[in-house]
């Protein structure tokens, strides 16, 4: 790899978990317009996908960029679960005429979903799925290995939450101490064995590169341990360090952060270890074992990039429940209130907790489809207007990517090369007309570095 490319392309860029990215949203649709958009696109055979955000964590990890509330008070879950139940009942009124729709998938994210008791999981899922589950229902849940209990695993099996994701981050003791997330390998190994023995459908590990005190030696050791267990999927995120926005990251020692070329080498080392062990690259920062659900979805072009990272495409309607969660239809996005207390009060009064949002223009829809194809499949068939853009606006920029060996063209098809895969955010940014139109700097939105 030509390391001069890092200096050239390492800059603040959106992660494109939505298009347009949230800082470029221009305003939520009215409740009536939101409902109408769903009614028009709802197909009972395809159902809806649900994302449920559980914001509570018992301890703060200093690197954390997630939306969460730190509390040891477990009783806070009760009013929150009541609010989630009320929210789902409110959300079906307009779009589904008060009828509960069929649910294709539920993804529990956080925060820490296993902050909830097993009884609350059961109560909540029974309420959410009273319109039925699709025959190919997918249930997924993020697990904090430090606080998960056996009773949780039993209820996850019973309720078909069969795809689990473990927050690992790094196995090195020094790195764990620097990020204030102590969880020894023995703890993960025991949990992993239990999950395998209980036949969970797939196990994902979340790991991060660019954390304080990480070196090539610690990454090699971490990935040797990862491979000794052999999870089905691995998300290997670039550490997003934004201490101006995320105050908890002021606890991170800046002088210990690997940056630029040093950070990129960590990614490339892990990628080569994983590829040598038959894991395939799917998307920007995810890897999958052949035969796993995500690698099958990748080969069948059913992968989708969303707020949950890379998932399997099910319906075209995602309903987000819980503080800060985002809902998406083919015509608009809406985000829920982030403040947990305001969120709860709004739902308990029977109101929708929507705050910000965005109605997609035809230009947005076209760019969204292109960026999805690029980030999920690594290639794009260009439409006439995109070819026109390329001839006029983007010609020089694209030539640079081609010259650097990151991108190639074959007729109407634009193809990301293997070398170009780590730079896909940069290539996607070329087609982001909101980013092109805005000045991104001290006064513009803050994005994490692309590398
Ligand atoms: C939304 S968090 C919730 C997961 C769960 N609470 C846990 O930590 O086990 C999902 C994943 O995001 C990643 N993450 C959190 N903060 C990050 C940051 N600042 N930069 C990059 N990835 C981050 C971590 O890998 C984490 O497991
Ligand atoms: S990384 Fe996960 S467990 Fe840690 S504070 Fe953030 S959401 Fe909670």
């Amino acid at each position: 790899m030509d390391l001069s490319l890092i200096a050239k392309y390492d800059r603040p860029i959106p992660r494109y978990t939505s298009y347009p990215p949230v800082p470029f949203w221009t305003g939520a649709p009215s409740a009536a317009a939101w409902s109408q958009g769903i009614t028009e696109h709802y197909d009972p055979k395809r159902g809806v996908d649900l994302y449920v955000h559980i914001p509570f964590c018992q301890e703060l990890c200093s690197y954390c960029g997630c939306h969460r509330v730190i509390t040891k008070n477990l009783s806070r879950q009760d009013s929150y679960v009541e609010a989630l139940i009320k929210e789902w009942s409110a959300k079906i009124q307009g779009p589904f005429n008060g009828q509960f729709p069929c649910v294709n998938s539920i993804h529990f994210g956080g925060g820490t979903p296993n902050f909830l008791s097993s009884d609350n999981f059961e109560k909540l899922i029974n309420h959410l799925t009273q319109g039925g589950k699709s025959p190919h229902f997918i249930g997924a849940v993020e697990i904090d290995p430090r606080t998960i209990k056996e009773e949780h695993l039993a209820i996850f099996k019973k309720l078909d939450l069969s795809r689990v994701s473990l927050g690992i981050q790094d196995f090195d003791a020094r790195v764990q101490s620097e990020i204030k997330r102590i969880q020894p390998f023995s703890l993960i190994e025991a949990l992993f064995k239990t999950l395998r023995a209980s036949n969970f459908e797939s196990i994902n590990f979340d790991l991060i590169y660019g954390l304080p005190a990480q070196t090539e030696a610690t990454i090699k050791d971490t990935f040797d341990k990862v491979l000794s267990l052999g999870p089905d999927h691995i998300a290997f995120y670039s550490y997003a360090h934004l201490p101006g926005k995320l105050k908890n990251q002021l606890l991170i020692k800046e002088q210990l952060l690997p940056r630029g070329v040093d950070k990129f080498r960590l990614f490339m080392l892990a990628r080569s270890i994983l590829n040598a062990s038959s894991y395939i690259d799917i998307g920007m920062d995810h890897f999958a074992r052949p035969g796993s659900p995500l690698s099958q979805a990748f080969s069948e072009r059913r992968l989708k990039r969303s707020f949950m990272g890379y998932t399997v495409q099910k319906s075209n309607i995602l309903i987000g429940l819980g503080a800060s969660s985002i809902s998406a239809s083919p015509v608009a996005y809406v985000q829920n209130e982030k403040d947990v207390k305001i969120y709860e009060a709004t739902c308990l009064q029977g109101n929708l907790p929507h705050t910000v949002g965005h109605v997609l223009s035809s230009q947005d829809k076209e760019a969204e489809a292109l960026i999805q194809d690029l980030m999920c499949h690594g290639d794009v068939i260009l439409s006439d207007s995109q070819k026109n853009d390329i001839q006029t606006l983007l010609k020089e920029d694209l030539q640079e990517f081609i010259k650097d060996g990151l991108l190639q063209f074959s007729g109407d098809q634009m193809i990301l090369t293997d070398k170009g895969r780590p730079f896909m955010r940069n290539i996607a940014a070329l087609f982001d007309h909101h980013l092109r139109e805005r000045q991104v700097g001290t006064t513009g939105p803050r994005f994490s570095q692309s590398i």
Side-chain angles (χ1 to χ4, degrees), residues 96-375:
F96 306 110
N97 265 328
Q99 304 290 308
F100 287 97
C102 170
V103 175
N104 262 320
S105 71
I106 305 184
H107 183 120
F108 278 90
T112 305
N114 56 280
F115 188 91
L116 299 190
S117 66
S118 48
D119 285 351
N120 269 332
F121 264 108
E122 187 151 30
K123 179 173 162 186
L124 184 55
I125 293 190
N126 286 342
H127 178 75
L128 299 179
T129 58
Q130 56 193 289
K133 287 179 185 169
S134 86
H136 306 292
F137 175 81
I138 296 175
V141 58
E142 293 169 11
I143 288 179
D144 184 335
R146 299 168 301 174
T147 51
I148 188 81
K149 300 197 182 79
E150 266 181 36
E151 65 183 58
H152 284 119
L153 301 185
I155 207 77
F156 293 166
K157 281 295 285 184
K158 181 176 168 196
L159 299 171
D160 295 330
L161 296 178
S162 59
R163 297 190 185 180
V164 294
S165 175
L166 310 190
I168 306 286
Q169 322 314 349
D170 195 292
F171 279 126
D172 184 77
R174 164 87 195 279
V175 175
Q176 289 192 0
S177 143
E178 293 295 341
I179 61 173
K180 308 218 176 329
R181 177 147 181 154
I182 310 290
Q183 41 184 34
F185 179 69
S186 54
L187 175 89
I188 309 295
E189 189 180 31
L191 173 59
F192 189 88
K193 285 186 176 157
T194 307
L195 291 166
R196 281 285 190 239
S198 316
N199 289 320
F200 277 83
E201 188 193 359
S202 67
I203 305 175
N204 173 73
F205 281 4
D206 277 353
L207 294 138
I208 305 182
Y209 66 98
L211 291 173
Q214 276 180 338
T215 62
E216 290 189 63
T218 67
I219 288 287
K220 168 141 191 354
D221 188 57
T222 285
F223 276 84
D224 284 347
K225 290 191 166 78
V226 168
L227 291 181
S228 75
L229 300 177
D232 306 284
H233 305 139
I234 293 168
F236 191 37
Y237 296 116
S238 167
Y239 172 47
H241 187 59
L242 297 162
K245 194 164 142 191
L246 304 163
K247 297 297 170 211
N248 55 297
Q249 293 185 348
L250 293 169
L251 296 167
I252 297 273
K253 293 180 194 140
E254 297 254 345
Q255 69 276 21
L256 295 182
L257 287 177
R259 294 186 197 261
V261 171
D262 292 338
K263 182 176 176 187
F264 189 68
R265 279 186 203 275
L266 302 179
F267 175 76
M268 292 304 278
L269 173 63
R271 185 190 190 204
S272 68
I273 294 173
L274 291 173
N275 291 162
S277 247
S278 85
Y279 281 84
I280 56 163
D281 294 67
I282 53 161
M284 188 172 89
D285 45 17
H286 282 48
F287 300 86
R289 275 161 69 126
S292 67
L294 283 186
S295 84
Q296 275 175 17
F298 175 71
S299 57
E300 292 160 15
R301 293 179 82 93
R302 288 185 291 110
L303 214 55
K304 169 104 181 141
R305 183 155 173 79
S306 73
F307 308 99
M308 293 160 277
Y310 285 95
T311 54
V312 180
Q313 167 104 57
K314 294 290 284 177
S315 78
N316 56 1
I317 295 171
L318 171 69
I319 307 280
L321 301 171
S324 81
S325 68
I326 292 175
S327 304
S329 81
V331 291
Y333 296 109
V334 286
Q335 183 167 31
N336 279 356
E337 170 61 49
K338 290 183 178 176
D339 182 284
V340 172
K341 294 225 160 88
I342 301 176
Y343 162 78
E344 286 183 3
T346 310
C347 295
L348 294 174
Q349 283 161 9
N351 296 323
L352 289 175
H354 294 168
T355 53
V356 295
H358 183 80
V359 179
L360 291 155
S361 66
S362 55
Q363 199 181 8
D364 288 336
K365 286 181 195 167
E366 204 171 314
E368 201 259 348
L370 184 152
I371 291 175
Q372 278 286 341
D373 282 348
L374 182 74
M375 300 194 88

Side-chain angles (χ1 to χ4, degrees), residues 57 59 61 63-64 66 68 111-112 144 146 181:
C57 298
E59 280 177 56
C61 309
Y63 62 90
C64 178
C66 312
R68 38 76 196 136
T112 305
D144 184 335
R146 299 168 301 174
R181 177 147 181 154

Side-chain angles (χ1 to χ4, degrees), residues 370-389:
L370 184 152
I371 291 175
Q372 278 286 341
D373 282 348
L374 182 74
M375 300 194 88
C376 295
H377 317 312
D379 60 45
V380 179
I381 309 284
L382 295 164
S383 68
D384 288 343
S385 74
Q386 286 159 345
K387 276 188 269 178
N388 203 23
D389 262 6

